[in-house]
Amino acid sequence: MKAFKIKTHRPGQTYQAPHFFILSKGNNAGKPSVSEFTNSFVITVKSEKQAHQLYWICNILYSGHYFRTRLCGSVIPFIRIGEVQSLLERMILNYEGHHWNGRFQALEKLEQLIKVLQHQQNCINQYKLLLMQSYQLDRD
């Protein structure tokens, strides 16, 4: 995998190159997303394939709490751009396609399963609410 560029995202700015965002402040600092965050870094690469691979490497690092140990600040935790860059560079040096690709696929399946389960939980909560509202508790 080739080099990437990381810089602080400015809201409203658009990017031509393939890119994704990493949350920089709060307890979820390090969380990658394809949609922009207010307080985030943007990572740009040369191809969609590289963006996809780097996105899932970041997702693995976030899920494994690798960013959490690098948080600074006592009131609002944040992660420094240099910390993110050095961690990603170290992971890219250790990148072996077959080793990471299995993890990418497993994590993608888990993310899809989480979405399905969250949808099911929302449906159950709505059903429970409707069930309780269907009783006429204020009968005369």
Side-chain angles (χ1 to χ4, degrees):
M1 186 180 307
K2 300 214 176 181
F4 61 92
K5 291 181 182 176
I6 183 170
K7 60 183 179 178
T8 303
H9 170 65
R10 292 190 181 104
Q13 187 172 358
T14 58
Y15 304 96
Q16 300 301 323
H19 64 280
F20 65 94
F21 302 91
I22 295 179
L23 188 62
S24 63
K25 289 187 180 177
N27 291 327
N28 289 325
K31 182 178 182 178
S33 176
V34 291
S35 56
E36 66 182 51
F37 295 116
T38 302
N39 297 310
S40 63
F41 303 128
V42 62
I43 294 182
T44 56
V45 292
K46 293 183 180 183
S47 71
E48 286 292 332
K49 182 180 178 184
Q50 289 175 344
H52 184 262
Q53 289 173 337
L54 200 53
Y55 173 85
W56 284 105
I57 288 174
C58 288
N59 207 329
I60 288 170
L61 293 173
Y62 173 73
S63 299
H65 301 287
Y66 287 94
F67 291 115
R68 192 172 284 179
T69 60
R70 290 163 174 79
L71 292 179
C72 304
S74 58
V75 177
I76 299 175
F78 65 94
I79 190 165
R80 292 187 173 102
I81 196 167
E83 289 282 333
V84 174
Q85 185 167 6
S86 66
L87 183 60
L88 289 177
E89 286 172 352
R90 201 165 359 126
M91 291 301 123
I92 289 172
L93 287 176
N94 297 332
Y95 179 79
E96 297 174 21
H98 66 282
H99 176 73
W100 286 97
N101 288 338
R103 285 181 167 78
F104 293 163
Q105 292 169 353
L107 199 56
E108 261 181 318
K109 288 178 183 177
L110 287 172
E111 293 286 332
Q112 290 171 354
L113 182 61
I114 287 170
K115 287 180 183 176
V116 168
L117 291 173
Q118 285 174 339
H119 177 71
Q120 289 176 347
Q121 184 178 12
N122 288 338
C123 290
I124 289 171
N125 287 338
Q126 286 177 354
Y127 178 71
K128 187 169 95 174
L129 181 65
L130 290 173
L131 183 66
M132 293 300 113
Q133 289 176 349
S134 69
Y135 292 113
Q136 294 180 358
L137 297 176
D138 57 345
R139 290 185 213 168
D140 290 333

